[in-house]
Amino acid sequence: MGDGHGFAESDQWFARAERVIPGGIYGHQSPALLTRGEYPSFMHSGDGCRLRDVDGNRYIDFICGYGPIVLGYNHPAVEKAVDQQRRLGDTMTLPSVRTVELAERLVGMTPGAEWAMFAKNGSDVCTWALAIARQATGRELVVMADHAYHGVHGWCNGITNGFPDSDRASVRAVKWNDSAQLETLLDQDGERIAAVILTPFRHEAFEDSVMPSGEYLEKARALCHRHGALLISDDVRTGFRLDMGGSMQKWGVTPDLLCYSKAIANGHALSALLGSEALRDAASKVFVTGTFYLQAVPIAASLATLTELGASGAIDHMHAMGLKLCEGLAERAGAAGFDVRLSGPPSIPYMRFTDDGTGFDRSRVFCGAASRLGVLFHPHHNWFLMAAHQEKDIDEALAVSEQAFASVKAAF
Ligand SMILES: Cc1ncc(COP(=O)(O)O)c(C=O)c1O
């Protein structure tokens, strides 16, 4: 293509990285997912909805750090709270009182939650939720949706390299959205099942997103009640973009345990596990801890983030901006002669081309071209809106998308 951003600095840093870090960049930020030459490898700074890479290229970002950036990069109110707390102390032998304030805030805004505990990432709180469910029920098995992503721990890591099969021995998988299958499993094995863990909607990478059909979540809730199993909502990816009381509330469902991370502190490292009164005792008996779990700075960042999200009507704004983006993309795709599928809620959207060769050929060309022209979309992972996206940013991204659709046309 030749047009657009160049990545000479990124390439030099990547060459250095490869010598001292296995793979150069690992995990979901690796070039296996965002192709080098089309995407930068290293970022320099962020402000609002814009990122700048180490070559000085600028982007409107719809990946949002894979979810955490919900207000915007370098948000003034959040960073002010961070600076104030940093001056007082962060890791301080004992927690700061901000921890209590955040637990009170989360309990106050979340139906069914009577307590909250904190950790650093989504994997930890999902695994912690299972442990509490097992402790509370005295049962061993847990049910998850097949290929669902709940983090990198052995019981759910879809890439099993390095993990023994025994890590998954107590996990049963069901098809997402299939109430009948869940009912059959619970009827057969209910007495051994401690919990069912589900995301509020299905948002696996390399798939279209799927919203829960009809009364799927409600049925899952009722089946858990009937069989004495606990319902865990993994709201790590979806939290604070659909409903401030927990995303399952959108479908009228209150889980027993609720896992948050990503957007909870606008990019600062924090996760939270919330639970019902009935699980308080079990939660206090499961020993889980981490050296940095109760750092005061991310907790202060979270308090400021939740205040801003609530006060600014951010969820409605992200919905409106996401809708504008999705409608604009569909229109421009049609004008360029492409049929695209937009899935997921507008604030967590995803676009794929129908009849796309091996599944992502056109998506990769489209997203690669957009990146070189200054807009970050992801070819095989859902996107995110943030409160900092304004109409002008969406208009600019849509103008870039026209050129990206033209690149796809030229390539196929
Ligand atoms: C639904 C869901 N659960 C759990 C996790 C794991 O979170 P973390 O990467 O913070 O460990 C993720 C991460 O993407 C996620 O999307």
Side-chain angles (χ1 to χ4, degrees), residues 189-275:
D189 247 345
E191 282 174 15
R192 299 172 63 212
I193 293 172
V196 177
I197 182 166
L198 295 172
T199 54
F201 70 90
R202 187 165 173 86
H203 47 54
E204 302 324 321
F206 296 95
E207 293 178 17
D208 295 338
S209 292
V210 186
M211 303 311 274
S213 63
E215 290 166 359
Y216 177 63
L217 293 177
E218 231 177 284
K219 189 87 200 278
R221 172 67 286 178
L223 286 169
C224 285
H225 271 319
R226 191 196 302 162
H227 291 277
L230 301 167
L231 179 64
I232 303 169
S233 175
D234 177 356
D235 217 346
V236 167
R237 195 178 309 181
T238 42
F240 309 107
R241 280 189 169 84
L242 297 179
D243 192 305
M244 291 299 283
S247 300
M248 281 195 183
Q249 293 300 326
K250 235 186 147 37
W251 290 273
V253 168
T254 299
D256 299 293
L257 290 156
L258 174 54
C259 307
Y260 277 136
S261 187
K262 293 206 184 260
I264 194 169
N266 197 46
H268 294 273
L270 187 70
S271 58
L273 177 60
L274 279 57

Side-chain angles (χ1 to χ4, degrees), residues 66-78:
Y66 288 85
I69 307 303
V70 66
L71 290 169
Y73 291 98
N74 199 17
H75 188 275
V78 176

